[in-house]
Amino acid sequence: MAVGSTSAGFGICRLCEGPTQPGFALCYCCTTLIGRLQMPLAPVTAVTPYRVGDRMHRLLRGYKDAPMAEARSICTSQLAGILRWWLSEHGDRLLARTGGPWDLVVGVPSSQRPMAPVDALVDAVPALARQHLSLLVRGPEPTDHLVASRRGFAVTSDGDAGCDERGRRALVVDDSFTTGARAQSAVAALRLAGVRVAGVLVVGRVVAPETAWWQAAYWDSVIEERRAARTVEWVGGGRPVAGLPR
């Protein structure tokens, strides 16, 4: 969706591409995070919007939280398939958003788990896996809903990072995007360590139509785009049926 005003009346944030009030270049969340981090934010690109409770939401929860390992593996495989398909179809758009290629891919660590679940998705997508380094760990300060911190994450040279990454250009990857606090805190930590961040790629962006008229109008426009394109919902193997572009 293009950044700027829309025919439906709502605006599109130029940083995260989420819905905002008309006449505003930035959404409330991005404006708040700039104030908290006191540095520019990285541009965000989302593979697809979703609502709490829909199929994409269940996949994003299931690959981390399903009680059985087999179920987590199935969800991971389906999400990786979606990412592979989207990059093959929309890689040029991502390059345009990030201002060119990157030579490093970094996942955002979990705020609650010792590992970064999104790393499993990255490693299952060859276009991302070959440049993937696990550089970030949780930092000494918390990150949460609209709570961003430069010290929310820390850069480490342990594990598979065998050299100094200063000056390299990174794509930050996360599974879901609500306010952007965690992803932008990760961006801040990398920048403070000398890594140049090209942008953030997220699998899903949560939309809450019940919270504001522009959120509802944005979601209506998503549904109309899907109907116009005769799209259906994602199923296993990354094959789009019923809900996302074919």
Side-chain angles (χ1 to χ4, degrees):
M1 189 171 292
V3 177
S5 299
T6 66
S7 59
F10 60 90
I12 295 292
C13 177
R14 64 178 176 83
L15 286 176
C16 75
E17 295 190 323
T20 188
Q21 297 184 65
F24 287 79
L26 301 181
C27 66
Y28 172 78
C29 292
C30 286
T31 301
T32 301
L33 297 182
I34 290 172
R36 289 187 176 275
L37 292 170
Q38 291 295 297
M39 64 169 59
L41 305 185
V44 177
T45 304
V47 170
T48 182
Y50 72 91
R51 290 186 66 175
V52 172
D54 69 12
R55 179 167 178 77
M56 179 57 68
H57 178 241
R58 293 194 298 273
L59 285 176
L60 289 167
R61 286 295 303 272
Y63 99 100
K64 297 182 288 190
D65 297 333
M68 298 181 63
E70 182 181 6
R72 294 194 298 272
S73 177
I74 290 171
C75 291
T76 299
S77 177
Q78 292 185 12
L79 288 171
I82 290 169
L83 259 180
R84 287 193 297 270
W85 176 87
W86 189 90
L87 287 168
S88 70
E89 295 289 324
H90 302 285
D92 289 346
R93 178 175 178 273
L94 180 60
L95 283 171
R97 281 285 287 165
T98 57
W102 50 87
D103 59 3
L104 186 62
V105 174
V106 182
V108 178
S110 171
S111 298
Q112 300 174 341
R113 300 168 180 83
M115 304 296 291
V118 74
D119 283 349
L121 297 182
V122 171
D123 287 339
V125 180
L128 300 176
R130 54 177 167 259
Q131 296 171 319
H132 180 211
L133 290 179
S134 298
L135 290 182
L136 292 173
V137 296
R138 286 202 302 264
E141 295 185 359
T143 60
D144 205 339
H145 185 85
L146 280 180
V147 178
S149 171
R150 294 186 179 196
R151 301 181 66 206
F153 299 102
V155 174
T156 176
S157 293
D158 295 337
D160 53 7
C163 61
D164 187 357
E165 270 63 56
R166 294 182 68 87
R168 297 184 67 179
R169 199 162 189 266
L171 176 70
V172 173
V173 181
D174 205 357
D175 47 22
S176 60
F177 184 96
T178 304
T179 68
R182 291 177 59 257
Q184 297 294 353
S185 294
V187 168
L190 289 168
R191 285 175 169 166
L192 291 175
V195 176
R196 296 181 300 145
V197 178
V200 177
L201 174 65
V202 297
V203 180
R205 173 203 308 284
V206 67
V207 181
E210 67 280 2
T211 61
W213 72 262
W214 57 89
Q215 290 269 353
Y218 172 81
W219 184 251
D220 287 344
S221 73
V222 169
I223 298 302
E224 287 304 314
E225 285 181 5
R226 292 175 180 176
R227 287 173 178 164
R230 297 180 181 177
T231 57
V232 281
E233 205 175 8
W234 290 104
V235 294
R239 291 177 292 110
V241 289
L244 294 174
R246 269 191 282 230

